[in-house]
Amino acid sequence: WIARVLSEQRGRDRTTDIRTRACRLYFVPTLGHIRVAELTHQQIDRAVLAWSETLKSANTVRTYLAALHTALK
């Protein structure tokens, strides 16, 4: 679902690239098995914590979290 939602959103090429990368590398592996209606804040918090352990930049984590927020609107 998230890949479809993000692909439907308009944005600059760089923004689209960031969203696509975040989806492929982080959103789907950590949250892809959960139905949107069943997604909880705790699950998102755990996913963000997992991303923080693998990503070197806190700014990248914030960027990916913003992309997830946009997809869930």
Side-chain angles (χ1 to χ4, degrees):
W1 61 268
I2 197 163
R4 179 181 46 79
V5 169
L6 290 174
S7 69
E8 292 171 355
Q9 294 175 347
R10 305 255 181 225
R12 296 180 303 197
D13 289 339
R14 174 106 172 106
T15 302
T16 302
D17 291 345
I18 289 169
R19 289 177 181 163
T20 301
R21 179 179 173 81
C23 184
R24 182 173 38 90
L25 297 177
Y26 296 96
F27 302 162
V28 171
T30 57
L31 300 170
H33 64 285
I34 304 167
R35 293 174 164 244
V36 176
E38 297 169 358
L39 192 59
T40 67
H41 288 285
Q42 292 81 12
Q43 291 166 321
I44 293 172
D45 288 344
R46 283 193 299 271
V48 170
L49 182 61
W51 305 340
S52 299
E53 293 173 0
T54 59
L55 292 167
K56 295 178 183 166
S57 167
N59 191 41
T60 303
V61 174
R62 281 191 299 273
T63 300
Y64 286 3
L65 185 57
L68 178 62
H69 175 76
T70 299
L72 293 173
K73 283 186 178 178

